[in-house]
Amino acid sequence: MSSDAHGTGSTGEVQLENEFFRVTRWTIEAGGAIPMHRHDFEYVVVPLVTDTMHVIAADGSEIVAELTFGQSYTRPAGSEHRVENRGDGAPIVFVETERLA
């Protein structure tokens, strides 16, 4: 199952979903973004590239996230943000695993 995030240059492909986890492979094209969204569950991100992405929080604050291929990180439930690829070349790709239960 794949979905384009409303023509914003990002695509999410749900690879697995059961009662415990949802695993989504995200691709953000150069100049694209994942629109503002809220994470209702704690989640883990595994970058599939080494690159920089910009995370804009709901309050307007910004974080420059340096991604390293294969270096996982976690974020708490309740995170609300927009994620941008401000580069002009390669897409940013990562796998996000949400803990549903």
Side-chain angles (χ1 to χ4, degrees):
M1 176 175 22
S2 180
S3 67
D4 178 18
H6 308 293
T8 59
S10 63
T11 305
E13 176 191 353
V14 175
Q15 297 180 328
L16 177 149
E17 186 167 359
N18 61 30
E19 64 184 302
F20 301 107
F21 300 103
R22 180 185 309 124
V23 179
T24 306
R25 182 179 192 268
W26 284 99
T27 302
I28 310 172
E29 299 299 332
I34 299 173
M36 185 66 67
H37 60 282
R38 176 184 164 82
H39 290 269
D40 293 327
F41 305 99
E42 182 177 14
Y43 63 102
V44 173
V45 171
V46 182
L48 300 180
V49 298
T50 297
D51 209 333
T52 301
M53 70 181 183
H54 293 78
V55 181
I56 298 84
D59 66 5
S61 62
E62 184 173 311
I63 297 169
V64 177
E66 297 296 339
L67 303 178
T68 301
F69 178 89
Q71 183 62 52
S72 304
Y73 63 90
T74 186
R75 294 289 181 265
S79 297
E80 190 170 0
H81 52 237
R82 170 183 167 92
V83 182
E84 299 178 349
N85 177 357
R86 295 183 184 168
D88 57 7
I92 290 175
V93 184
F94 58 88
V95 173
E96 173 186 277
T97 301
E98 297 171 279
R99 186 179 70 181
L100 306 178

